[in-house]
């Protein structure tokens, strides 16, 4: 599947491959090593954010997943 921005499609493919490899070869075997694909994800995320702005896609009211989402000061 292509990305929202044509310029982001190759980054998406690279991230997907990295994540799928890590998930199958590490995570599913019970190893809890950190995801080695974080930098690729961040590059892809920035590219998508830029494409959304350039295409003037409305995103108000949408919830996004990310490291800081779902974590509040009062959560236990």
């Amino acid at each position: 599947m292509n990305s929202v921005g044509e310029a982001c499609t190759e980054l998406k493919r690279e991230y997907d491959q990295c994540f799928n490899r890590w998930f199958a070869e590490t995570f599913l075997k019970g190893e809890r090593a950190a995801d080695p694909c974080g930098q690729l994800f961040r590059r892809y995320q920035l590219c998508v954010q830029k494409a959304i702005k350039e295409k003037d896609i409305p995103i108000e009211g949408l919830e996004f997943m990310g490291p800081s989402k779902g974590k509040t000061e009062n959560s236990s």
Side-chain angles (χ1 to χ4, degrees), residues 45 62 71 75:
Q45 183 182 46
L62 295 178
K71 295 180 182 176
S75 49

Side-chain angles (χ1 to χ4, degrees), residues 41 45 63-71:
F41 176 75
Q45 183 182 46
E63 302 250 346
F64 289 92
M65 292 177 55
S68 62
K69 298 298 178 188
K71 295 180 182 176

Side-chain angles (χ1 to χ4, degrees), residues 54-73:
E54 288 174 353
K55 293 181 179 208
D56 203 25
I57 298 172
I59 58 171
E60 292 79 28
L62 295 178
E63 302 250 346
F64 289 92
M65 292 177 55
S68 62
K69 298 298 178 188
K71 295 180 182 176
T72 61
E73 290 180 23

Side-chain angles (χ1 to χ4, degrees), residues 17-32:
Q17 285 180 345
C18 182
F19 178 83
N20 289 335
R21 184 173 39 254
W22 168 82
F23 189 77
E25 296 174 5
T26 304
F27 184 81
L28 290 179
K29 292 180 181 176
E31 298 174 31
R32 299 297 184 238

